[in-house]
Amino acid sequence: ALTKLYIMKRSLRELDQGVCEKLTNSSNVPIAPSSFDADVARLAERLTRTLDEVIGQRHKYVLGNSELKNAVTNVSHDLRTPLTSVSGYLGLLRDSGLTEKQTEYLSVICGRVDAMKKLTEELLSYSVVASDEGVMAAELLCINDCLEDSLTQFYTALVERGITPELHVCEERVERTLNRE
């Protein structure tokens, strides 16, 4: 009985070592303990089959994740080029002596193109960060200041449209650790 217990413990250690080896190295070598016990052999076979499925799923996930990141990068690059071209033509159009109404429409279009360019840049930044498997750098930020900065960027555009913004930000500092972008 003591010999059988010793053999079973050795088989369990071998199973454990085989599982660790398979998971660490994504090995396709079957787990094969030295025991001739049918139950141990059946368990080793099930573990091998299950771990092969897990390893296969992990591989599919990594591959799919990589394909998604590449697709996002490609889309952002594909959007960037025509947006830059449109921006250039809008600049030429702006200098061509338009009526006041045409200038107003052009300003709206320029604003939309600029917003699309910014979104495209953000998409590209995300895909670069995601492809590096990194986390976007976070820093301690004052939300009050960020809000104020963000709104003041649009101040001129609002005034041009006859809107006089009033900005009321609470005096209590609201701070969070975030990525500035």
Side-chain angles (χ1 to χ4, degrees):
L2 203 53
T3 305
K4 177 130 174 125
L5 181 62
Y6 171 77
I7 292 171
M8 292 305 281
K9 283 187 77 164
R10 186 179 72 195
S11 296
L12 288 173
R13 280 194 301 274
E14 289 171 350
L15 285 172
D16 179 54
Q17 185 179 3
V19 167
C20 289
E21 174 70 22
K22 244 179 140 35
L23 288 175
T24 302
N25 300 326
S26 295
S27 168
N28 59 359
V29 176
I31 298 170
S34 58
S35 173
F36 294 110
D37 185 84
D39 292 327
V40 172
R42 191 170 36 256
L43 178 60
E45 183 182 324
R46 276 195 191 138
L47 282 171
T48 298
R49 204 172 36 241
T50 302
L51 290 174
D52 285 343
E53 288 175 18
V54 167
I55 290 167
Q57 291 299 323
R58 181 171 46 186
H59 178 71
K60 284 181 185 177
Y61 169 79
V62 168
L63 186 62
N65 203 24
S66 176
E67 288 174 358
L68 177 63
K69 291 171 192 168
N70 288 337
V72 168
T73 301
N74 291 338
V75 165
S76 63
H77 277 294
D78 290 346
L79 288 172
R80 202 178 195 186
T81 303
L83 283 172
T84 301
S85 178
V86 166
S87 233
Y89 281 111
L90 288 173
L92 291 173
L93 192 57
R94 183 181 295 122
D95 299 334
S96 68
L98 301 173
T99 67
E100 188 178 319
K101 197 66 170 169
Q102 290 170 330
T103 302
E104 183 182 327
Y105 291 151
L106 183 62
S107 179
V108 171
I109 294 169
C110 287
R112 300 285 191 243
V113 168
D114 288 343
M116 284 294 295
K117 283 168 65 175
K118 183 173 170 55
L119 286 172
T120 302
E121 290 302 318
E122 288 175 6
L123 185 61
L124 182 59
S125 293
Y126 167 76
S127 68
V128 168
V129 168
S131 68
D132 290 342
E133 295 295 331
V135 177
M136 296 179 87
E139 58 186 292
L140 185 63
L141 296 173
C142 177
I143 302 298
N144 313 57
D145 295 343
C146 290
L147 177 60
E148 198 170 312
D149 290 345
S150 182
L151 292 174
T152 55
Q153 289 178 10
F154 295 100
Y155 184 83
T156 305
L158 292 170
V159 170
E160 285 175 356
R161 289 176 178 76
I163 301 168
T164 307
E166 288 184 28
L167 185 59
H168 301 283
V169 178
C170 68
E171 291 190 27
E172 179 184 336
R173 290 179 60 82
V174 178
E175 293 182 338
R176 297 291 184 270
T177 302
L178 304 166
N179 175 274
R180 181 174 294 280
E181 296 303 312

